[in-house]
Amino acid sequence: MAAAFRKAAKSRQREHRERSQPGFRKHLGLLEKKKDYKLRADDYRKKQEYLRALRKKALEKNPDEFYYKMTRVKLQDGVHVIKETKEEVTPEQLKLMKTQDVKYIEMKRVAEAKKIERLKSELHLLDFQGKQQNKHVFFFDTKKEVEQFDIATHLRTAPELVDRVFNRPTIETLQKEKVKGVTQQTRLKRIAKERQKQYNCLTQRIEREKKLFVIAQKIQTRKDLLTRKLRHGEHKQLA
């Protein structure tokens, strides 16, 4: 009961507010509170400790000490920056690098050529599948029978299933069961779509193989020029 009374009494108390900067000190800015002073004091103390540690390190430094990193670092605008060292490549090493580049590009070009040949063979198979391979020949005795001939009526099937070379049910079968399998038109569309996809892939690989051939030729030309320069330099040394 007493605790509840104290809580109720506190809720009716006047809100405590810290005083602001007096009017005659407004030009000095906001009045610093204790939390602001604590942050400022901690920051100042940290900086003083850091400076003290640096002074101690400078006093205890050995003037004769040497680190190998000193040879790779230079002082720029008061900051130590690592020097950028240029790798020295001899003409023999450069020639070897060019040879390896040519071999690698030639290997990639040969791989592309093999993939192109495989794609061409697959496209031949697709073209072969897309064509009507078999023919059904009907024989008649008179010209009148030829003019009146209707293939759907003769085969006793629906006109939509005439182009099918297999699984061609009769009208009696269709009245009893549903058509199984895909129609010829759907199959031809699927083959045409697959063929177009393969042709696009083939075109891209042919262009890639041409670019690799050009790059290999350029690198080989540079390698030959470098070889001539090396030989010319050897002849000068011998003379």
Side-chain angles (χ1 to χ4, degrees):
M1 188 69 182
F5 179 76
R6 281 197 299 270
K7 287 183 180 179
K10 284 184 179 180
S11 64
R12 290 195 296 270
Q13 282 181 355
R14 183 178 178 182
E15 184 182 357
H16 174 71
R17 296 179 181 178
E18 294 189 19
R19 72 184 184 90
S20 61
Q21 188 75 277
F24 65 93
R25 292 174 55 87
K26 286 286 185 183
H27 63 282
L28 298 175
L30 295 174
L31 179 64
E32 186 181 42
K33 307 299 189 294
K34 183 177 180 180
K35 60 179 182 179
D36 302 323
Y37 163 76
K38 188 174 181 181
L39 290 173
R40 186 166 58 83
D42 291 342
D43 182 62
Y44 175 78
R45 195 176 302 110
K46 190 183 298 182
K47 289 178 180 178
Q48 290 299 319
E49 289 177 0
Y50 185 71
L51 290 173
R52 193 180 303 110
L54 288 176
R55 291 192 192 97
K56 184 178 179 181
K57 187 176 181 180
L59 289 172
E60 295 177 354
K61 181 181 178 181
N62 181 7
D64 297 328
E65 66 181 347
F66 172 77
Y67 300 100
Y68 284 101
K69 195 174 182 181
M70 294 178 180
T71 60
R72 305 192 307 269
V73 177
K74 61 181 179 179
L75 195 64
Q76 184 176 353
D77 298 331
V79 180
H80 288 88
V81 181
I82 298 176
K83 298 178 183 177
E84 295 181 1
T85 56
K86 295 183 179 179
E87 295 183 0
E88 295 182 359
V89 182
T90 61
E92 289 79 9
Q93 291 175 346
L94 188 61
K95 182 180 176 182
L96 181 62
M97 289 165 60
K98 296 289 183 185
T99 305
Q100 290 176 350
D101 291 342
V102 170
K103 288 181 180 178
Y104 174 75
I105 292 174
E106 188 63 25
M107 180 191 68
K108 297 296 287 184
R109 191 188 68 79
V110 171
E112 286 294 331
K114 289 182 180 179
K115 290 177 182 178
I116 288 170
E117 291 298 326
R118 188 174 72 249
L119 278 173
K120 285 181 178 179
S121 62
E122 291 177 0
L123 284 171
H124 286 318
L125 289 174
L126 285 174
D127 291 337
F128 183 71
Q129 291 176 1
K131 294 177 182 178
Q132 192 74 18
Q133 303 168 18
N134 301 326
K135 293 183 180 180
H136 197 153
V137 182
F138 298 94
F139 298 92
F140 301 96
D141 297 329
T142 61
K143 189 176 181 180
K144 186 178 180 181
E145 290 180 357
V146 175
E147 293 175 353
Q148 295 178 353
F149 175 72
D150 183 19
I151 187 171
T153 306
H154 184 80
L155 296 175
R156 294 184 302 153
T157 186
E160 295 82 6
L161 303 177
V162 168
D163 294 333
R164 299 181 71 169
V165 294
F166 66 95
N167 191 16
R168 188 193 299 129
T170 60
I171 294 176
E172 291 82 3
T173 307
L174 290 173
Q175 290 175 354
K176 298 177 183 178
E177 300 179 5
K178 293 182 179 180
V179 180
K180 296 180 180 179
V182 296
T183 60
Q184 184 70 11
Q185 192 68 22
T186 307
R187 182 168 173 268
L188 289 175
K189 285 182 179 179
R190 179 175 56 80
I191 293 175
K193 186 177 180 181
E194 188 175 353
R195 187 192 300 116
Q196 185 61 38
K197 183 179 178 181
Q198 294 282 56
Y199 270 119
N200 293 338
C201 184
L202 177 62
T203 305
Q204 293 175 2
R205 291 199 177 277
I206 290 173
E207 290 294 327
R208 193 178 303 156
E209 194 266 342
K210 288 180 180 178
K211 290 179 181 178
L212 288 173
F213 178 76
V214 172
I215 293 171
Q217 291 294 319
K218 289 182 178 179
I219 294 176
Q220 185 64 37
T221 304
R222 293 175 184 173
K223 179 175 169 290
D224 295 340
L225 290 173
L226 183 62
T227 305
R228 289 178 186 176
K229 287 181 181 179
L230 288 173
R231 288 178 182 174
H232 187 65
E234 289 176 0
H235 286 315
K236 279 187 175 181
Q237 289 178 1
L238 291 172

